[in-house]
Amino acid sequence: QVQLVESGGDSVQAGGSLRLSCAASGYTYCMGWFRQGPGKEREPVATIDNDGRISYADSVKGRFTISKDNAKNTLWLQMNSLKAEDTAMYYCAADRTSCRAVVHGGGYWGQGTQVTVSS
């Protein structure tokens, strides 16, 4: 099994920055960040696999950067120019074989870390 623990969520003002981290135990091929805001369904934010392939949601392109330390099996999300609409519970997810699986709700999931952006 893979266990995931997120950290770094906080309350910040619009325009500010946060950096989220996710520590994974066990092998992961694809890791990603997902979020669920108030009254919204969970949506993918960004994913990255061990071959360096990255995908971002259109809403965060140019503002968020996902990275992965394969040796430490740790995932990061640098969030800049935060907006009120970025307010959500952010979840770390991982899969042993593909990013497609985790985007469709499979794989392993952490318990989330709250990000609140005030305008």
Side-chain angles (χ1 to χ4, degrees):
Q1 281 196 332
V2 176
Q3 295 186 36
L4 306 171
V5 180
E6 305 99 327
S7 63
D10 206 348
S11 180
V12 299
Q13 292 184 331
S17 298
L18 283 175
R19 191 179 191 186
L20 307 182
S21 64
C22 173
S25 62
Y27 174 79
T28 61
Y29 172 75
C30 177
M31 298 186 72
W33 291 98
F34 298 75
R35 67 186 183 186
Q36 185 169 20
K40 300 179 180 180
E41 295 185 350
R42 187 175 62 194
E43 63 177 352
V45 176
T47 60
I48 184 170
D49 65 27
N50 289 354
D51 293 317
R53 289 174 290 195
I54 296 173
S55 180
Y56 291 103
D58 288 342
S59 60
V60 306
K61 287 181 179 177
R63 299 189 298 119
F64 291 9
T65 302
I66 189 170
S67 60
K68 185 182 181 185
D69 186 329
N70 291 330
K72 296 181 179 180
N73 211 14
T74 301
L75 182 72
W76 306 89
L77 184 68
Q78 179 66 47
M79 304 186 294
N80 298 326
S81 301
L82 284 163
K83 305 174 181 179
E85 52 262 43
D86 294 318
T87 294
M89 182 70 74
Y90 283 72
Y91 297 91
C92 176
D95 191 82
R96 296 178 184 270
T97 59
S98 72
C99 285
R100 183 173 182 175
V102 72
V103 167
H104 285 85
Y108 302 89
W109 293 78
Q111 293 187 329
T113 184
Q114 179 67 41
V115 172
T116 301
V117 183
S118 60
S119 59

